[in-house]
Amino acid sequence: MKRGEKKPVEGGAHTLVKGGRHLRAEFGRWFSAEDQTDTHIAHRLLNEQYAVWERGRSRFAAHARQNIAALEKQQRMSMQMQTMRMHQQRRQMRRGSPYGYGGYGVGGVSPAIPYRVMQWGDYQIRVDKETFEHIPLTPVMLQMGRGRLRARRHRTAAILLLAATALWLLLWWLAPALDVVLTLAALLLATACAAWQGRSPTRRRPPVPRLRFIPAAAPGEGLDADADPEPFPLREAGRSPREAREALRLALKKERLTPEIGTPTTMEWGWRYPLTLTSTTLEDLVERLPKVGVTLRVGANRLMAQGTDPDDSSAVTLRVLTGDPFTAAPPALARPPKSLSITDPFSLGLSIDGEDTPVILAGQHVFLVGVTGSGKSSMIRALAEHVTACRDAVAVDVDPSGVGLGPLRPAAVRHAHTPESAEQLLEAELARAEARIASLGAGIQDNYPVSPDSPAVFVFLDEYSRLTDRGKQAALDLLGVGRKARVTLVLSTRNAAKSVLKEAIADSLGVRIMMSCRIADVPLVVGDPNAVAQGWLPHRLKPSPGEWEPADAGRFYAITPRATDPVLRYVSRLAPERAAELAQERAAAGLPDIDATPQTSPATKPVDDLPPIGRLLRGAFAAAGDPDWLTVAQIADHLAVAAPDRWRQWDGRKDRLAMVGRYLRADLRAAGLDVPRSRLESIEHPDRPIAYRLADVTAALGR
């Protein structure tokens, strides 16, 4: 099924058949006692042991109480006999009987009776104090216990079947009409149950019987009183939030994860769970999500976790995809020519929660990384469609491999499809950017204003690795100066490594898009070595082998000024035929005009007119190949060679860089040059050194 096509609705007959099979399978599990785990059977056997022991103790205690009562009764009778004899003796004495003295009939309670009472009392105390000790269970005992339960259920089923058959025959004999009505009602009830289970199958999961005693020691692995049932697939939860929560709880507990799970929300594509981490971190959770997905029986890489509160690291949102979240994604937009402005918001794509991904492209460099089949063409086509629909922006098509913008190529104002022509065009656009910055002069505008007569320029650069060395350097220089000049790059690549890009620039651009890519590219683009642990998972997306199997093509993660969370997104595909029609419409409507080789502004100063410190600073960048920035340490090394008398006087001192930086700023102020400095923020410079940027230097010097 192609992306965008609706899933065919299953017929009623298919649902009934599916539900009937599920009910038959559930009855089979009950009939064969397969719904009872070893924990269920073990608890039943232990409770049976306890019941036998309890009956024996009750019998022994009752026997002791009976014997004590009998002895106490015998003792009372002996005491009554003694009292009667004493009264008889006194009467004889009063009558003067010769038997009044001598103790006729005088006796007492036998000392054996109290002794026997004491013995039985001690025995009763020992019986009451006795504690139950279970017999350790063995696999054979578990097998026998399951066999007894299975036999009992077989008898129960046979008795119920015979009783139902006898009742049906009796009703057929006494009241045939009533029997027919009841039979039809039973069939309708069975059909309704099959239809219900066909749409939302539920699996019977009986609770584990509670132990009737508190064991002095653990009764064995998996036999504790609080044992949980076995984990079950998420699809068996149906649409019940309670069952979905239980399915996730058991799956997480299996991986020894015990976060607090809030009430899940059912979505068209699956479930969204609010979690509160207790004894683990987000990094640990993300690492174990693949195993949790296996337990839940969902598709590979369909669990995504992200932090939801920057002030609370325990707050996490977990999304579990049971279906395609972008089946109902809107089609790619196609706007009329010159109907937009480059300063209007533009959505890169739809998020998994159904929200847009807005970004204003004016003055934004765009970095796109993705392997072959990830859907880069769809993203580039969406960006180019927006740019070419603007009245104040133009597209420049640069691709050393010769493919370029493909069907949208006629809507671009300049083209370069060989390494040599790409080099020339990139250098021309770099010159345009420098001229625009120089034209700002000392005005109040920080950025070059764009209009239909002076549009923003977007250089769509693909296959960066195939550029010449000068072409690569021109592209990197354009990244440094193009933002203010509104001459920006849309740079796409299959690899974000420094070895490919020459410099670590991936994390320094305003708009960064990650489609299916290498895991090594993720921290480079996000700018954080723990990016994967935070939920950035583009490396788990599956590239498409072709249009017949879209896989995860078009899905991406993005970092923009407004979007900084690791949320899965999707860009709709613009068909090549429709893109070609749009390109012809926009070319026919007229594209904004720009000069192919812009001239240097009159405000640009010749090198000889620059102050000495300006020439030295510009020479430092030129000697290094005009990188985006130079640290004070790099500039100090150049100054020590270019003007040793002035700049080597602090060699060997611990504060050498501080002194060079202090006098460099003083000389720049004395020359009337306002060149700001800043600290580098990148993985390669954890000590955040002070640096000067090429764009600021060229803006201050006018070249």
Side-chain angles (χ1 to χ4, degrees), residues 16 23 180-196:
L16 288 177
L23 291 175
V180 171
V181 172
L182 292 178
T183 302
L184 291 177
L187 291 176
L188 288 176
L189 179 61
T191 303
C193 291
W196 172 50

Side-chain angles (χ1 to χ4, degrees), residues 277-290:
L277 303 180
T278 54
S279 59
T280 187
T281 62
L282 178 58
E283 290 80 357
D284 295 335
L285 176 63
V286 171
E287 182 181 357
R288 303 183 196 180
L289 284 183

